[in-house]
Amino acid sequence: MIVKVNGEQYDTPVKSLYELKTDCGYNKNNIVTIINGYQTDENKILSENDTICFIEKGVMPDERQLKEMMRSRHTPGVYDAVKNARVAVAGLGGLGSNIAIMLARTGVGHIHLIDFDMVDASNLNRQQYGIKHLGMYKTDALKEELKEINPFLDITTDCVKIDKENANILLKNDDIICEAFDNPEAKAMLTDVVLSDTDKILVAASGMAGIGSSNTIITKKITDRFYICGDGVTAAQEGMGLMAPRVTICAAHQANMIIRLITGIKET
């Protein structure tokens, strides 16, 4: 029987997952077993062309093994699409830092980080930074975080303020642009540039402040190239701050829509 084990074809006479584990030399108790995208401890009966990953807990796999694990967990079609995608995240605050983390965990192969600011203590209530990052440029700090998740990602950074003059040059190699700014003027500028001057897809956000209902944050398709996530109403203001839960919910909407677009799904 031919199966695939950790990305390589394997001809085996055995019929069950436990026997295969032993046959491949994975005899330790701290082995995670994934078959056809499903993690299991059961002794499944094998079928021709099954895909199996054996991952040792506490050990960093090599690049090939990590890719096969990601492919298995996300299903081959999804992973093969996302690993070749090119996504820019413009603004690395509460939205952008969370979005970039989710994209990295999903295996998006080329992530472009754009921001000009440094990490300060006021960021720690909702952004993906720690005390060790205080004083670092957000591009450097977030790249460090993403490499801790997946050291094999291609990450480009531009520590610069994106504006109408430089936006086209900065974004020329990216397919999907994620708008993750706090400033309304910057949001409007990027939206205008991407939709007017390029053929790229823009996933933007509007309305995620406060502690309102999670269910009011939604994803709207404006055109085939323009999507907005949020409640569209609740802006940050006095008495209505930006906090981790709703900001992260909105960031998840943006990240999920980006993954859907990469895999060819254009509906919200």
Side-chain angles (χ1 to χ4, degrees), residues 132-145:
K132 69 178 181 178
H133 298 124
L134 293 176
M136 290 179 66
Y137 284 110
K138 289 183 178 180
T139 47
D140 294 336
L142 192 55
K143 181 177 181 178
E144 180 182 283
E145 293 287 281

Side-chain angles (χ1 to χ4, degrees), residues 17-255:
L17 201 51
Y18 285 0
E19 291 175 306
L20 179 66
K21 184 177 177 181
T22 300
D23 192 43
C24 292
Y26 292 96
N27 299 313
K28 298 179 181 179
N29 293 324
N30 63 335
I31 302 296
V32 175
T33 302
I34 303 168
I35 179 168
N36 300 325
Y38 174 68
Q39 183 173 328
T40 183
D41 293 322
E42 298 177 29
N43 189 22
K44 299 279 187 180
I45 300 301
L46 297 174
S47 298
E48 192 81 14
N49 298 318
D50 276 344
T51 298
I52 299 98
C53 283
F54 295 120
I55 304 296
E56 187 174 353
K57 291 183 178 179
V59 175
M60 179 63 194
D62 62 28
E63 183 174 5
R64 178 184 56 80
Q65 289 176 321
L66 182 62
K67 285 181 176 179
E68 286 306 315
M69 184 195 71
M70 296 282 282
R71 177 179 283 110
S72 177
R73 292 302 270 167
H74 291 129
T75 71
V78 171
Y79 180 73
D80 290 341
V82 299
K83 75 181 177 65
N84 294 314
R86 309 188 73 91
V87 180
V89 183
L92 304 179
L95 288 172
S97 63
N98 281 288
I99 290 163
I101 292 287
M102 294 180 220
L103 297 180
R105 291 196 188 281
T106 310
V108 172
H110 308 276
I111 301 175
H112 184 186
L113 306 176
I114 306 170
D115 201 305
F116 66 93
D117 208 358
M118 288 183 174
V119 179
D120 66 65
S122 72
N123 302 147
L124 301 182
N125 81 318
R126 68 196 186 283
Q127 302 182 18
Q128 283 285 350
Y129 305 109
I131 292 171
K132 69 178 181 178
H133 298 124
L134 293 176
M136 290 179 66
Y137 284 110
K138 289 183 178 180
T139 47
D140 294 336
L142 192 55
K143 181 177 181 178
E144 180 182 283
E145 293 287 281
L146 299 187
K147 287 292 188 178
E148 284 291 315
I149 293 168
N150 186 340
F152 308 115
L153 296 176
D154 174 30
I155 301 171
T156 303
T157 62
D158 277 299
C159 188
V160 63
K161 186 172 184 176
I162 189 169
D163 56 34
K164 196 168 184 178
E165 283 66 45
N166 64 17
N168 276 327
I169 296 172
L170 286 172
L171 303 173
K172 65 180 180 180
N173 295 321
D174 305 308
D175 301 318
I176 298 175
I177 315 303
C178 183
E179 178 275 305
F181 295 134
D182 291 336
N183 183 281
E185 288 76 23
K187 288 176 177 287
M189 176 277 300
L190 189 63
T191 300
D192 181 61
V193 169
V194 173
L195 299 182
S196 299
D197 299 343
T198 78
D199 59 357
K200 303 174 188 298
I201 297 174
L202 178 68
V203 180
S206 176
M208 76 287 307
I211 54 171
S213 172
S214 302
N215 299 328
T216 60
I217 294 178
I218 60 173
T219 302
K220 287 185 179 180
K221 178 181 179 180
I222 310 303
T223 71
D224 280 346
R225 295 178 45 231
F226 186 29
Y227 297 78
I228 298 180
C229 304
D231 66 19
V233 176
T234 315
Q237 55 188 295
E238 289 187 25
M240 188 73 72
L242 294 166
M243 290 172 281
R246 285 189 103 233
V247 170
T248 306
I249 291 167
C250 187
H253 271 260
Q254 288 184 270

